[in-house]
Amino acid sequence: MPPLSLRALNRTLLHRQLLAIRSNRPALDVVRHIVAMQSQEPNWPYVGLWTRMENFTHDELTSLLEDRGVVRSTMLRGTQHLVSADDFGWLRPTLQPLLDRALRAAYYAKETADLDLADLAAAGRDIVADRTMPRRELGRLLVERWPGHKGAVLAGAVELQVTLVHPTPGGTWGKWGTRAAMPVALAEAWTGRSMGTASVETMIDRYLAAFGPASVKDIQAWSGLTRLREVVDRLRPRLWVLRDERGTELFDLPDAPHADPDSAAPVRFLPAFDNLVLGHADRTRVISDEDRKRVMPGQAQVLPTFLVDGFVRGTWALEPSRLQVSPFRPLTKTERTAVTEEAALLLPFLVGDATGYDIHVG
């Protein structure tokens, strides 16, 4: 097969991420398809579903969180994600080596150097048991056992080792920004499901279905796991092996569809930290290296973006009285109209009554 062009990779990714055509599937199916949605700030997954689904409402995701069909926890890349409760059972154990590695970072190592991490995890599990409590309360109770340590760090070290989730009302639609008073609960107690076993092979298959074709480095960048070359090589006989125009080896599921590189791509507004922007090591299929620096300016920020013709063309922000859309380069009249129209659809979803709000492009 000839090398895959940049536009072929772009259009295929848009289709698999449900950004070429909005999906009419239930929200739970969409979350499952994407595998996990970044949820460091709880409002952003709502925006991510809105831009991928027809007629999505806030209540659809809130109900899934309240009914415990979807859970929020530390997973991919050691950050907060939403995932279906069924998928959490195998995904969290699969990612445990990444979380164990995070414990060796200076932030945790300094506070836990004189502690037995297994004892700390066991104590945290016993404290939480079958109840829900604020994370800061877990930290306070851990400090009672190990005085002189920082409760927030100890609670974080427990969360990396023990399958804790953030129950409702944490993670539901509300004020913008991170929220310090997040509750925690044992996943088994909250979901009523037992934890399953790790399956890197399942993770790779699910990733390729939603993000492929992709390289080994792409899979590692998305998941945070390392040394996956050996696993992919084991799977090679049943995968489709391709190359891009630079000769990079890419893998895909043999029955996964590839989109027409000449197909149209609608304007889409993406939330901060969206999977589309973070799903690969080589992100040029959706954003240039130059623009990537503008979207990721440092301090772990990944700004909300918008797509024109399938590629990131700028950022957006909700301000007190307007939706500010900031293109990186001038838009044509047609592009500007399409961006404004999509922004006008998004604004009521963000603020409810949009009376008194303006849309400013430029």
Side-chain angles (χ1 to χ4, degrees), residues 181-248:
M182 280 292 177
V184 294
L186 289 176
E188 300 92 327
W190 178 253
T191 65
R193 296 168 169 87
S194 300
M195 296 302 296
T197 57
S199 179
V200 179
E201 293 81 2
T202 297
M203 184 195 77
I204 291 173
D205 283 348
R206 294 284 298 279
Y207 168 79
L208 291 177
F211 293 88
S215 68
V216 173
K217 287 184 178 179
D218 290 330
I219 302 169
Q220 293 180 160
W222 170 78
S223 65
L225 295 175
T226 59
R227 301 178 181 179
L228 294 183
R229 167 62 66 178
E230 182 179 339
V231 182
V232 174
D233 282 343
R234 287 202 310 269
L235 299 176
R236 183 184 291 267
R238 65 172 179 80
L239 295 177
W240 196 3
V241 183
L242 307 158
R243 290 191 182 275
D244 65 16
E245 293 176 317
R246 291 179 290 186
T248 303

Side-chain angles (χ1 to χ4, degrees), residues 66 161 236 280:
E66 291 175 343
Q161 298 180 83
R236 183 184 291 267
H280 300 82

Side-chain angles (χ1 to χ4, degrees), residues 68 71-73 85-86 88-90 92-93 96 121 124-126 128-132 158-159 161-167 184-197:
R68 311 183 187 192
V71 296
R72 180 174 183 263
S73 182
D86 288 336
F88 183 78
W90 64 264
R92 172 62 189 247
Q96 194 57 48
R125 178 176 283 277
D126 288 344
V128 179
D130 59 354
R131 55 183 171 153
T132 296
V158 168
E159 189 169 356
Q161 298 180 83
V162 179
T163 52
L164 298 182
V165 297
H166 297 290
V184 294
L186 289 176
E188 300 92 327
W190 178 253
T191 65
R193 296 168 169 87
S194 300
M195 296 302 296
T197 57

Side-chain angles (χ1 to χ4, degrees), residues 19-318:
L19 292 166
I21 303 172
R22 281 189 164 99
S23 174
N24 58 11
R25 287 185 278 177
L28 181 59
D29 288 352
V30 172
V31 173
R32 284 173 174 160
H33 173 74
I34 295 173
V35 187
M37 301 189 71
Q38 219 279 357
S39 183
Q40 203 73 8
E41 296 185 11
N43 281 358
W44 290 124
Y46 286 83
V47 179
L49 290 174
W50 176 88
T51 205
R52 288 172 167 86
M53 294 177 57
E54 291 184 358
N55 304 314
F56 172 75
T57 66
H58 302 92
D59 287 345
E60 289 180 72
L61 180 53
T62 298
S63 294
L64 286 174
L65 287 161
E66 291 175 343
D67 295 343
R68 311 183 187 192
V70 166
V71 296
R72 180 174 183 263
S73 182
T74 302
M75 284 175 281
L76 300 166
R77 303 182 299 279
T79 57
Q80 295 292 316
H81 278 74
L82 288 184
V83 65
S84 77
D86 288 336
D87 284 338
F88 183 78
W90 64 264
L91 183 58
R92 172 62 189 247
T94 302
L95 297 170
Q96 194 57 48
L98 158 70
L99 305 179
D100 291 340
R101 189 170 73 244
L103 279 170
R104 299 196 291 271
Y107 176 78
Y108 294 105
K110 182 178 179 181
E111 285 294 319
T112 62
D114 61 335
L115 305 181
D116 183 302
L117 289 174
D119 287 347
L120 178 63
R125 178 176 283 277
D126 288 344
I127 289 171
V128 179
D130 59 354
R131 55 183 171 153
T132 296
M133 64 170 57
R135 193 169 183 265
R136 61 166 63 100
E137 176 68 5
L138 170 60
R140 186 187 69 79
L141 293 172
L142 290 168
V143 170
E144 286 186 359
R145 178 163 177 176
W146 288 285
H149 293 78
K150 295 179 180 178
V153 180
L154 295 187
V158 168
E159 189 169 356
L160 290 173
Q161 298 180 83
V162 179
T163 52
L164 298 182
V165 297
H166 297 290
T168 53
T172 56
W173 181 263
K175 68 177 183 179
W176 291 90
T178 55
R179 304 172 202 168
M182 280 292 177
V184 294
L186 289 176
E188 300 92 327
W190 178 253
T191 65
R193 296 168 169 87
S194 300
M195 296 302 296
T197 57
S199 179
V200 179
E201 293 81 2
T202 297
M203 184 195 77
I204 291 173
D205 283 348
R206 294 284 298 279
Y207 168 79
L208 291 177
F211 293 88
S215 68
V216 173
K217 287 184 178 179
D218 290 330
I219 302 169
Q220 293 180 160
W222 170 78
S223 65
L225 295 175
T226 59
R227 301 178 181 179
L228 294 183
R229 167 62 66 178
E230 182 179 339
V231 182
V232 174
D233 282 343
R234 287 202 310 269
L235 299 176
R236 183 184 291 267
R238 65 172 179 80
L239 295 177
W240 196 3
V241 183
L242 307 158
R243 290 191 182 275
D244 65 16
E245 293 176 317
R246 291 179 290 186
T248 303
E249 188 175 54
L250 304 175
F251 299 90
D252 206 357
L253 301 178
D255 57 349
H258 285 200
D260 180 354
D262 295 323
S263 59
V267 169
R268 291 287 186 258
F269 279 72
L270 302 177
F273 305 101
D274 192 77
N275 303 284
L276 188 82
V277 179
L278 295 177
H280 300 82
D282 178 6
R283 297 167 185 169
T284 56
R285 68 183 70 190
V286 292
I287 185 170
S288 69
D289 290 334
E290 176 188 359
D291 290 345
R292 179 175 172 175
K293 296 175 183 176
R294 301 180 182 185
V295 172
M296 303 171 193
Q299 298 181 326
Q301 294 184 80
V302 183
L303 302 178
T305 59
F306 66 92
L307 308 178
V308 174
D309 191 31
F311 292 86
V312 171
R313 284 288 298 276
T315 60
W316 63 272
L318 181 64

